[in-house]
Amino acid sequence: MGVVEEHDGWSDVRGMAVRFHLAEGRSTDLVSMTLPVFFAPTPKTFLDFARKARPARCRRETPWEKIKDYLRLQLPMPDPYPGQTERPNEGAIAFANDHFWAQAAVLDASSIGAPVSYVRADYHAVHTFVVTGKEGEKRQVRFTWAPVAGILDTDPLKPPVDAYLQDDLKKRLAHGTERFTLMMQIGEAGDDFEDSTRQWPPHRKRVMMGTLTLDHVPEDQQALCEKLSFNPWHLTPGIDPSGDPVLKIRKDVYAYSSNRRGGIPCPFSGAKG
Amino acid sequence: MSDDGGWLNRYVNTLPERGWFQFLSKYVVVPYWVWREGKPKLPGGPRPSQQPSDSTQRMMNLLMPLKDPSPIGRAKAVMALAQNVDEIYAGLDNVGTVHSARFLLVEDYICMISVYDGDFSNYIRDFIATIGSVFDALMQVVEGGDKLAPCEHNVEAFIDWVRAHDLFQAPDFPIEMFGLQDAQVGKVPNHPPHALQTLPRALILQLHANRNISLGGGYRGYPGFSAAQIRQKLGVGW
């Protein structure tokens, strides 16, 4: 689900990848997105979903179709943005109508909006990881970056602006810093540890792990952003991937993608792109 | 967001905000759907769960309708509580599973909003044991309360009454509304799945059946910890 062209003002999911540089040259990655839940529980079902939700030619509902929706107490599909000719929404919704496990993500993705700034959105690592404590105890956890500036989307009733997120970040960081808090939610027996279509209740124990401070945007965006490669399996001892089959396949998918776009190889980039 | 869809498209996009369409929806469209596929009232309070953090810091939002909503009737309700403040504080201290509790007078209801650990029925039983006399006083000013006093002689009926007046807690994730509605009419939840587009209707029809609801399970600053754990950690008793 998603459109290749970038339109900052369009409702869509955004991502954030963070590499923690640790002692003795070690590092660990955390790859996250603004959607809190995933579309499918397994690689096979995700492929089924992706085929159905491939962006397709879209049209505006006629006024009569919209009135019919209102009379059914349903919301019409949003009008396409100016210049928008295709989108994944119709295919994704049709797929979700037959597959309950896709409904939470499709509903969230359909209404996610556009953040006013990269630092006014929360980012979820979505999959479960297994962390090991000092005494060797293991816990299943999920991570979220919560913006200290708060979450805020653009007004969907105003015309969307095509490119503003990079400039906004540069302006903000020219005058100060922006911060995110890393929250860790602890799962309990009975929660789904291997299915990222299933969210955990918000009242599970959560731990404030620390703060990420952004202080500048590097000038060389090609070398210091576009060429970088992250991998959700690039983890430090003490953090392990869960058995989530979608997380499992992301290891090779990220390495393949890194090779294909000529990125700086990530630790698993043996695969040929 | 509209592009160049013409005046009719722009007008239709604003229909939900137009007075005449809101009037039509309120008096014709919604009643039609209530007649066609109305939903039964969903029960109040937290839903059953075996998981540890689900049985700590549960929310109770008890709305008790006033027998007499006039200023005099309201004053009687206030007095019933004001005369029992010491009993309430001492009782809640002794229950030991309560994080917070407060009473509100809102419109025609006297409300008890509390956060507690453990099982709902046991919470109410503890209440009856420790502040039953307060509830007896309260039942005199509450509609239908006469039949329940004294609470200690009508324990099960009182529990049922509280459960019926505790607000339905909407699910934290909207999509779960479908499954709750299925289960309430004895169907297997989401078998077959519901069309996503019908979620607004499902919500509107539920709000017709449950006029007042709790929006989700509520925020907790330190989720998953019981009152006893916090007191022990802070060295303030128990």
Side-chain angles (χ1 to χ4, degrees), chain B residues 96-112:
Chain B
T97 55
V98 182
H99 293 258
S100 72
R102 66 191 196 278
F103 288 92
L104 311 173
L105 198 56
V106 179
E107 297 296 334
D108 295 345
Y109 295 94
I110 186 151
C111 313
M112 181 180 175

Side-chain angles (χ1 to χ4, degrees), chain A residues 137-207:
Chain A
E137 70 278 21
K138 292 190 181 297
R139 292 187 178 90
Q140 278 79 11
V141 302
R142 288 180 177 176
F143 294 102
T144 292
W145 291 106
V148 172
I151 296 170
L152 186 64
D153 285 341
T154 57
D155 183 346
L157 299 176
K158 289 189 177 156
V161 178
D162 231 18
Y164 62 90
L165 289 171
Q166 274 279 342
D167 281 348
D168 168 83
L169 196 59
K170 283 180 190 161
K171 275 183 201 152
R172 283 170 182 267
L173 300 186
H175 295 107
T177 57
E178 294 288 347
R179 289 173 296 148
F180 286 89
T181 302
L182 180 60
M183 302 301 296
M184 183 175 80
Q185 194 183 22
I186 302 176
E188 294 176 3
D191 287 333
D192 225 312
F193 300 144
E194 302 190 354
D195 182 351
S196 42
T197 67
R198 304 277 304 274
Q199 286 171 274
W200 299 346
H203 51 268
R204 292 283 175 269
K205 280 181 186 166
R206 61 177 187 277
V207 183

Side-chain angles (χ1 to χ4, degrees), chain B:
Chain B
M1 175 58 225
S2 167
D3 57 358
D4 55 349
W7 70 268
L8 185 58
N9 180 62
R10 286 196 296 277
Y11 182 79
V12 169
N13 282 348
T14 62
L15 273 184
E17 312 311 322
R18 296 195 176 260
W20 73 267
F21 196 76
Q22 289 172 352
F23 184 88
L24 177 78
S25 301
K26 185 175 174 183
Y27 292 104
V28 179
V29 181
V30 171
Y32 166 76
W33 283 105
V34 169
W35 166 75
R36 188 165 156 176
E37 53 179 66
K39 308 292 178 197
K41 193 174 178 186
L42 284 168
R47 288 175 275 284
S49 170
Q50 300 299 317
Q51 290 169 275
S53 68
D54 286 338
S55 45
T56 59
Q57 298 182 48
R58 297 182 140 179
M59 307 285 181
M60 188 168 86
N61 309 286
L62 182 59
L63 262 63
M64 299 172 273
L66 287 171
K67 196 186 283 178
D68 174 8
S70 74
I72 290 175
R74 303 170 91 77
K76 282 181 186 168
V78 171
M79 291 306 290
L81 288 168
Q83 287 168 344
N84 286 296
V85 172
D86 288 347
E87 283 88 335
I88 294 170
Y89 275 63
L92 292 179
D93 272 344
N94 285 318
V95 167
T97 55
V98 182
H99 293 258
S100 72
R102 66 191 196 278
F103 288 92
L104 311 173
L105 198 56
V106 179
E107 297 296 334
D108 295 345
Y109 295 94
I110 186 151
C111 313
M112 181 180 175
I113 312 294
S114 67
V115 182
Y116 64 97
D117 302 322
D119 175 73
F120 173 84
S121 301
N122 288 341
Y123 176 50
I124 306 304
R125 281 197 183 91
D126 286 347
F127 250 44
I128 295 168
T130 54
I131 54 170
S133 59
V134 179
F135 273 95
D136 286 344
L138 210 48
M139 286 301 112
Q140 302 309 312
V141 297
V142 166
E143 214 172 80
D146 298 337
K147 296 176 206 152
L148 298 167
C151 306
E152 66 238 53
H153 294 160
N154 297 293
V155 175
E156 295 310 316
F158 186 71
I159 290 173
D160 289 345
W161 187 88
V162 172
R163 198 187 295 278
H165 290 79
D166 191 8
L167 290 186
F168 164 63
Q169 296 184 5
D172 290 301
F173 306 117
I175 208 69
E176 291 175 5
M177 182 63 89
F178 287 139
L180 293 176
Q181 291 176 334
D182 285 339
Q184 189 64 11
V185 293
K187 288 186 185 166
V188 179
N190 299 298
H191 256 277
H194 299 260
L196 262 184
Q197 301 93 313
T198 63
L199 188 58
R201 185 163 77 230
L203 175 65
I204 291 167
L205 295 180
Q206 201 57 60
L207 287 170
H208 181 267
N210 295 74
R211 256 183 86 75
N212 301 304
I213 66 168
S214 164
L215 302 178
Y219 172 83
R220 294 152 179 84
Y222 42 88
F225 293 98
S226 67
Q229 283 174 304
I230 291 161
R231 284 181 182 136
Q232 189 183 34
K233 183 77 181 168
L234 298 177
V236 290
W238 285 274

